[in-house]
């Protein structure tokens, strides 16, 4: 910074990389309790670029969209690897939209914080995701909670988060247009997410 102080001083820093493993963005989360008035989350100045865990979009037609990288990592650590993240409730960018469209994502489980900001964020991005052909679900955390809150509060995060994913509330499905492949399976209002953590799959295999 102009003050000669390191921007991410006192933070654990999470890089966001592109398809060629180039770092295009960084997010910082302070370790410990910050001083009064000091934010506990830091972004680089300027536009927020890139898509966290971009590889997940190419590996599955179904993706969890968390509100933050910390929340996405909470899913990841519980075994749910097909997860990416916005940069906050209002941090869904053109890069996110382009990546979901490029990889042909069919189903998005929006796992935003269960608060006013999260609700507004879901409402804002819903028409954009429907427009590119995604069926949408909302992961319904307890009021005021997010994925990280849940994961830290229970003995079995994979089970707790899995129950929330499988019980996600249906938001809507896209209206078929002429530029959508006719071979796409029809989306049903009573369909449900089919995500299981990798650990659970391995455990359940005969």
């Amino acid at each position: 910074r102009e003050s000669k102080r390191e921007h991410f001083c006192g933070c654990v820093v999470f890089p966001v990389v592109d398809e060629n493993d180039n770092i295009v963005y960084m997010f910082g989360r302070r370790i410990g309790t910050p001083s009064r008035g000091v934010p506990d989350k830091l972004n680089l100045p300027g536009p927020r670029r890139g898509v966290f865990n971009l590889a997940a979009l190419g590996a599955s037609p179904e993706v969890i969209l968390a509100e933050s990288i910390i929340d996405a990592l909470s899913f990841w650590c519980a075994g749910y690897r097909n997860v990416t993240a916005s940069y906050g409730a209002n941090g869904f960018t053109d890069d996110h939209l382009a990546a979901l469209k490029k990889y042909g994502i069919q189903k998005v489980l929006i796992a935003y914080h269960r608060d006013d900001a999260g609700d507004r964020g879901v409402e804002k991005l819903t028409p954009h995701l429907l427009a590119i052909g995604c069926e949408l679900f909302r992961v319904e955390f307890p009021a005021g909670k997010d994925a990280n809150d849940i994961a830290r509060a229970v003995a079995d995060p994979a089970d707790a988060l899995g129950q929330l994913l499988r019980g996600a509330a249906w938001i809507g499905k896209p209206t078929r247009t002429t530029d959508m492949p006719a071979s796409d399976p029809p989306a049903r209002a009573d369909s449900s997410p089919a995500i299981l953590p990798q650990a659970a799959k391995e455990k359940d295999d005969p």
Side-chain angles (χ1 to χ4, degrees):
R1 298 177 180 172
E2 291 182 2
S3 65
K4 309 301 181 184
R5 182 176 177 82
E6 180 189 353
H7 182 65
F8 289 115
C9 181
C11 294
V12 57
V13 180
F14 304 95
V16 177
V17 300
D18 63 15
E19 292 173 318
N20 298 313
D21 290 332
N22 298 308
I23 295 176
V24 295
Y25 195 71
M26 289 187 289
F27 167 78
R29 180 68 176 263
R30 293 194 186 278
I31 300 172
T33 304
S35 303
R36 185 174 181 179
V38 176
D40 61 350
K41 302 172 186 176
L42 285 178
N43 292 282
L44 286 177
R48 299 175 184 182
R49 300 177 53 205
V51 177
F52 180 73
N53 195 23
L54 183 62
L57 304 189
S60 172
E62 184 173 331
V63 68
I64 304 163
L65 176 63
E67 183 174 320
S68 71
I69 290 178
I70 295 292
D71 287 337
L73 286 170
S74 299
F75 281 108
W76 173 276
C77 290
Y80 299 93
R81 303 300 169 84
N82 50 330
V83 62
T84 188
S86 299
Y87 300 121
N90 293 309
F92 185 83
T93 69
D94 289 342
D95 284 358
H96 290 109
L97 191 67
L100 293 175
K101 185 175 181 179
K102 175 181 177 180
Y103 288 101
I105 298 301
Q106 298 172 14
K107 186 178 295 183
V108 179
L109 292 92
I110 306 173
Y112 279 17
H113 198 125
R114 191 75 179 276
D115 58 9
D116 290 342
D119 292 345
R120 289 193 300 270
V122 173
E123 183 177 357
K124 181 178 179 180
L125 67 85
T126 290
H128 299 290
L129 295 180
L130 291 175
I132 62 170
C134 298
E135 184 178 15
L136 305 181
F137 293 80
R138 173 77 187 275
V139 179
E140 296 186 317
F141 298 111
K145 301 294 184 180
D146 59 25
N148 187 249
D149 294 328
I150 300 300
R152 291 187 296 109
V154 299
D156 189 348
D159 180 66
L161 292 174
Q163 290 186 42
L164 289 168
L165 290 171
R166 289 187 290 272
W170 186 76
I171 295 175
K173 62 181 179 180
T175 301
R176 183 172 296 282
T177 62
T178 55
D179 62 343
M180 293 175 64
S183 59
D184 282 353
R188 298 179 294 110
D190 62 347
S191 60
S192 59
I195 296 178
L196 282 175
Q198 189 63 35
K201 288 182 180 178
E202 294 171 353
K203 182 174 62 176
D204 293 340
D205 283 345

